[in-house]
Amino acid sequence: MDIKREDLLQLYYYLKLTRRFEDRISSLYHQGKILGGAWTSNGTEAVSVGYGYALERNDIAAPYFRDMGVFLIRGITAKRIMAQYFGKKTGVTGGKEGNVHIGDINFGVIGFPSHLADNYPVGTGAALAFKMRGEKRVAVACTGDGGTSRGDFHEAMNFAAVRKLPIVFICNNNQYAYSTPLRLQMTIKNVAERALAYDMPSKTVDGNNVVEIYKAAKEAYEVARNGGGPTFIECKTMRMHGHSEHDSAKYVPRELLEEWKKKDPILNMEKYLLENTIARKEDMEGIELRVKKEIEEAEAFAEESPYPEPDDGLKGLYATPIEEV
Amino acid sequence: MKEITYLEAIREALDEEMARDPSVFILGEDVGVYGGAFRVTEGFYEKYGEWRVLDTPLSESGFTGAAIGAALVGMRPVAEMQFADFISCAFDQLVNVAAKNHYRWGAATPIVVRAPYGGNIHGGAFHSQCIEGFFYNVPGLKIVAPATAYDAKGLLKAAIRDNDPVIYCEHKYLYRRIKDQIPEEDYIVPIGKARIAIEGSDVSIITYGAMVHTATEAAKVLKGSGVSCEIIDLRTILPLDKKSIMNSVKKTNKVVILHEQTKTGGVGAEVSALISENCFDYLDGPIIRIAAPDTPVPYSAQMEEVFIPQPKEVINAVEKLMRY
Ligand SMILES: Cc1ncc(C[n+]2csc(CCOP(=O)(O)OP(=O)(O)O)c2C)c(N)n1
């Protein structure tokens, strides 16, 4: 599969944007400027950027909380996400939700419910609708390695396989579920082996190689789009921060982090772009500047935005409200 | 007008809505080829095909989640729980996803979950439960529970057309036991509106589902001794039609709340609190709750009869209240 230069540069741009944006959120969190908690995908950005960028405009993503790249790529702006972190009216959910609990159906992003793997069946339902209506659209659902132990993961995989639905399941296998290492999560070597039980094609890819993830996702989407059914893609990576920004992750051996640091997805991509003479250092510096500006603007926007009216929290329960008496 | 059973009313509502709107479809266990454990969707598979009457794997959470996902992209799924009891397996999807979507991020989730519920059928602890209480403390859901064939049809149609997640509690005991005259033409029964099943002036019996018929039996006996009972059939139990409840209490000044659901923390507790908060000055006596005892549903007929509220208990309660 050939990837156009402009797409490779965009992949790099979104990797950088995701990293820097979440770095900024982390700093703001430590300064006490974020209302609640803060979660980042540090070290695993290639996953959400890779599978998110491979989607077509009309496709649907059912993400989880380490999918910042997907939110940004789908067009949910850094401004709206920063405002969401600040609890502002201009945030993605107008202050109703915080941090990574993001969703906007207008951008093809199904809201992330905290309950991990819940979005596997929900994404499957979107795929079911596409198949029923004969639309050439696909859905993608993502969860972490821990999330794959839940029943909803298996119920969705099974249903999608039985009905050959146009969905791709992604697992961000970053070795830990909060403090729980993989060996206490499952007995198999590769999460992808879970797909065997559903006779579903699967792939284990380098989760720190955005190009590889992009290609694997793109291929799987095309199979799904053309009636070939679901695929499971395991992206092997490493969560480089704590579970959330409050967590020092002392339970992760330092040597493990040192080892993975060398495989950083952004450094990987820079190397790839330089070695293949796709971009020069100046091009990448230009992208860095663009990203910096975007984040500064997002922060200013969030700072300046108004808070919601306290009573806004009493509104919007129902889509078809029932008149109160 | 034509006469049909409660079960036929449900079937007609589904059939007419599916014919009217291609985005309506059914999913659940054994709903397709077999036509559903209670045969509600009999003939649908032949009429609408396997993709609109979808037999799913045995996975309540999975197919409820899938219903939600389909609804988010423009479908109007009706998911069938084979027995309402199994809805516990889909609790998370209903409570954390469906109920909160619109509030959290503004996305409508027009799903209906059909829940064949209730006892008196010797089903034991796992095929007889009233499940409305499990969901009563969940803002964002709507729960309806028709007592008549007329309402069964009209409420299901309203639920399918509604843009929110609706749990449709259909009482298994009523399926083939009651019949109503219903109009030939299309109609709905609005969600959120109770009805006065019997007008009266001495005491309000507030109830829903199969217990409307238990209350009616009691009211007939009481009428013989000169007591005029007003029966409020809630029809929608979440959210409650507060106005109808309060209007009746203000008229009769005496209240019996009757339900088949177990007593503690049930719908009756909420109705009772609502009346105390809003109509205390109108009350001439204590609010009496009649409900199933706080145990699982027993199997043996003798024990189940003790479990399910009987007309005699209603009569005793009303007679007690009449002494105030
Ligand atoms: C069903 C459920 N149980 C518990 C939690 C609390 N929790 C949040 S993240 C997390 C660990 C998630 O691990 P994993 O799925 O591997 O994703 P990762 O954080 O590694 O990306 C836990 C236990 C949750 N969100 N959902």
Side-chain angles (χ1 to χ4, degrees):
Chain A
M1 185 195 294
D2 277 342
I3 311 178
K4 289 204 292 274
R5 176 174 186 266
E6 120 200 20
D7 287 326
L8 288 166
L9 290 179
Q10 278 296 84
L11 284 170
Y12 177 67
Y13 159 73
Y14 279 117
L15 275 180
K16 267 264 136 129
L17 179 63
T18 302
R19 169 72 56 86
R20 293 281 180 254
F21 185 50
E22 291 188 329
D23 280 352
R24 187 62 196 151
I25 287 164
S26 176
S27 305
L28 289 168
Y29 170 79
H30 289 293
Q31 292 167 26
K33 287 202 175 167
I34 298 286
L35 205 52
W39 287 261
T40 74
S41 58
N42 194 287
T44 78
E45 296 93 339
V47 179
S48 66
V49 171
Y51 90 75
Y53 195 72
L55 288 168
E56 301 289 330
R57 197 63 253 167
N58 274 330
D59 296 338
I60 281 275
Y64 91 128
F65 70 111
R66 290 194 212 283
D67 277 333
M68 184 59 81
V70 171
F71 302 139
L72 294 167
I73 289 165
R74 298 301 289 174
I76 302 179
T77 58
K79 284 183 177 171
R80 292 177 71 207
I81 298 171
M82 191 63 99
Q84 158 124 334
Y85 258 107
F86 280 53
K88 296 293 181 83
K89 197 184 177 87
T90 52
V92 189
T93 59
K96 290 261 184 61
E97 264 288 14
N99 47 65
V100 282
H101 295 88
I102 288 168
D104 189 336
I105 205 71
N106 300 314
F107 292 87
V109 177
I110 289 177
F112 162 61
S114 260
H115 296 58
L116 290 167
D118 276 15
N119 258 353
Y120 259 53
V122 176
T124 301
L128 174 65
F130 299 156
K131 177 143 184 170
M132 290 169 72
R133 297 192 297 234
E135 295 169 354
K136 284 216 151 190
R137 297 163 74 185
V138 302
V140 61
C142 186
T143 196
D145 40 290
T148 70
S149 297
R150 271 204 66 222
D152 271 21
F153 170 89
H154 296 275
E155 294 193 18
M157 294 273 287
N158 184 46
F159 189 19
V162 166
R163 291 283 174 173
K164 269 194 155 209
L165 300 180
I167 182 163
V168 174
F169 296 109
I170 309 279
C171 174
N172 177 329
N173 175 5
N174 54 39
Q175 317 296 327
Y176 282 82
Y178 211 143
S179 72
T180 306
L182 219 51
R183 71 185 161 78
L184 298 179
Q185 195 70 246
M186 59 190 81
T187 51
I188 47 180
K189 284 254 167 348
N190 297 309
V191 183
E193 287 163 42
R194 295 215 192 280
L196 289 174
Y198 309 107
D199 198 21
M200 187 189 295
S202 70
K203 208 167 183 176
T204 298
V205 299
D206 176 356
N208 284 16
N209 184 332
V210 74
V211 174
E212 200 183 318
I213 297 165
Y214 170 84
K215 281 184 180 168
K218 194 94 189 158
E219 271 170 29
Y221 295 155
E222 285 328 296
V223 170
R225 214 182 291 286
N226 293 304
T231 303
F232 180 78
I233 300 174
E234 171 192 11
C235 307
K236 272 199 202 294
T237 178
M238 179 72 200
R239 195 192 75 201
M240 299 301 282
H241 280 196
H243 160 66
S244 81
E245 293 309 289
H246 80 270
D247 170 23
S248 60
K250 290 215 178 70
Y251 46 83
V252 179
R254 294 299 112 173
E255 314 79 68
L256 192 61
L257 290 173
E258 285 308 318
E259 189 191 315
W260 278 92
K261 206 171 162 185
K262 293 184 212 130
K263 300 189 261 188
D264 181 84
I266 296 184
L267 292 180
N268 266 351
M269 186 60 173
E270 284 173 352
K271 205 162 149 234
Y272 175 90
L273 293 177
L274 287 173
E275 280 175 5
N276 292 282
T277 58
I278 295 159
R280 295 161 307 164
K281 252 197 140 46
E282 300 87 82
D283 298 320
M284 293 192 280
E285 281 162 9
I287 287 177
E288 176 85 55
L289 280 177
R290 197 175 131 206
V291 161
K292 193 162 171 268
K293 187 157 168 279
E294 201 169 332
I295 293 166
E296 281 167 4
E297 282 170 7
E299 195 178 327
F301 173 80
E303 290 272 14
E304 287 156 20
S305 288
Y307 284 103
E309 299 301 320
D311 280 358
D312 287 354
L314 302 174
K315 297 175 190 155
L317 181 64
Y318 289 129
T320 308
I322 291 172
E323 309 140 46
E324 267 284 345
V325 281
Chain B
M1 298 294 269
K2 59 182 172 187
E3 193 175 68
I4 59 170
T5 64
Y6 186 90
L7 185 139
E8 286 162 346
I10 296 168
R11 183 184 292 145
E12 276 197 5
L14 289 170
D15 189 16
E16 289 173 19
E17 289 305 294
M18 285 182 77
R20 186 187 61 80
D21 179 354
S23 65
V24 179
F25 74 99
I26 292 169
L27 74 171
E29 292 152 20
D30 311 298
V31 294
V33 179
Y34 186 65
F38 293 99
R39 335 271 336 144
V40 171
T41 53
E42 192 148 54
F44 280 47
Y45 184 85
E46 292 73 16
K47 185 166 175 186
Y48 296 106
E50 69 164 328
W51 287 94
R52 285 188 76 196
V53 199
L54 205 90
D55 280 323
T56 66
L58 198 162
S59 54
E60 285 75 11
S61 192
F63 74 67
T64 303
I68 294 167
L72 287 171
V73 296
M75 303 301 283
R76 293 191 171 272
V78 181
E80 176 181 300
M81 294 294 149
Q82 195 155 77
F83 284 77
D85 309 68
F86 302 114
I87 204 171
S88 53
C89 296
F91 188 76
D92 172 47
Q93 285 288 345
L94 289 168
V95 167
N96 288 310
V97 187
K100 294 178 176 54
N101 276 343
H102 193 261
Y103 181 83
R104 291 174 58 240
W105 58 287
T109 308
I111 62 164
V112 178
V113 179
R114 288 184 36 237
Y117 80 117
N120 228 358
I121 55 149
H122 319 305
F126 302 121
H127 297 77
S128 307
Q129 291 175 88
C130 292
I131 52 86
E132 61 275 28
F134 304 164
F135 298 96
Y136 212 47
N137 202 227
V138 183
L141 297 176
K142 292 173 179 172
I143 307 177
V144 299
T148 65
Y150 180 91
D151 286 347
K153 183 168 179 183
L155 273 173
L156 185 49
K157 284 186 159 225
I160 290 170
R161 296 177 197 182
D162 199 276
N163 288 323
D164 293 304
V166 182
I167 298 179
Y168 180 89
C169 297
E170 50 191 69
H171 205 295
K172 302 190 294 285
Y173 183 78
L174 302 179
Y175 271 155
R176 294 176 175 85
R177 283 190 175 82
I178 61 163
K179 285 184 175 178
D180 273 329
Q181 292 286 334
I182 66 154
E184 298 282 349
E185 61 274 12
D186 181 51
Y187 70 93
I188 64 150
V189 170
I191 294 177
K193 298 274 174 284
R195 83 185 166 107
I196 301 175
I198 294 180
E199 262 198 71
S201 53
D202 294 333
V203 58
S204 300
I205 305 174
I206 301 171
T207 186
Y208 59 90
M211 289 294 110
V212 171
H213 304 282
T214 305
T216 305
E217 267 186 59
K220 275 188 198 140
V221 175
L222 286 158
K223 198 174 176 195
S225 47
V227 181
S228 162
C229 298
E230 172 147 301
I231 298 177
I232 300 294
D233 173 4
L234 291 172
R235 303 199 289 194
T236 295
I237 52 187
L238 189 69
L240 283 172
D241 179 357
K242 296 174 184 162
K243 193 173 171 184
S244 295
I245 294 169
M246 294 193 288
N247 284 348
S248 182
V249 175
K250 286 175 186 174
K251 179 165 83 172
T252 65
N253 314 113
K254 297 187 177 74
V255 185
V256 172
I257 302 165
L258 168 67
H259 58 59
E260 186 185 320
Q261 188 201 1
T262 55
K263 192 170 194 173
T264 301
V267 174
E270 184 57 34
V271 173
S272 169
L274 175 83
I275 294 168
S276 297
E277 281 173 353
N278 295 286
C279 303
F280 186 73
D281 293 340
Y282 291 90
L283 289 174
D284 285 347
I287 298 168
I288 298 181
R289 278 184 298 160
I290 302 171
D294 291 321
T295 67
V297 186
Y299 169 70
S300 169
Q302 290 71 18
M303 289 190 265
E304 194 176 19
E305 201 179 308
V306 173
F307 181 87
I308 306 271
Q310 303 294 326
K312 187 72 197 141
E313 294 168 66
V314 182
I315 293 166
N316 290 345
V318 170
E319 283 174 346
K320 183 177 161 196
L321 269 182
M322 294 317 292
R323 293 196 281 274
Y324 280 86

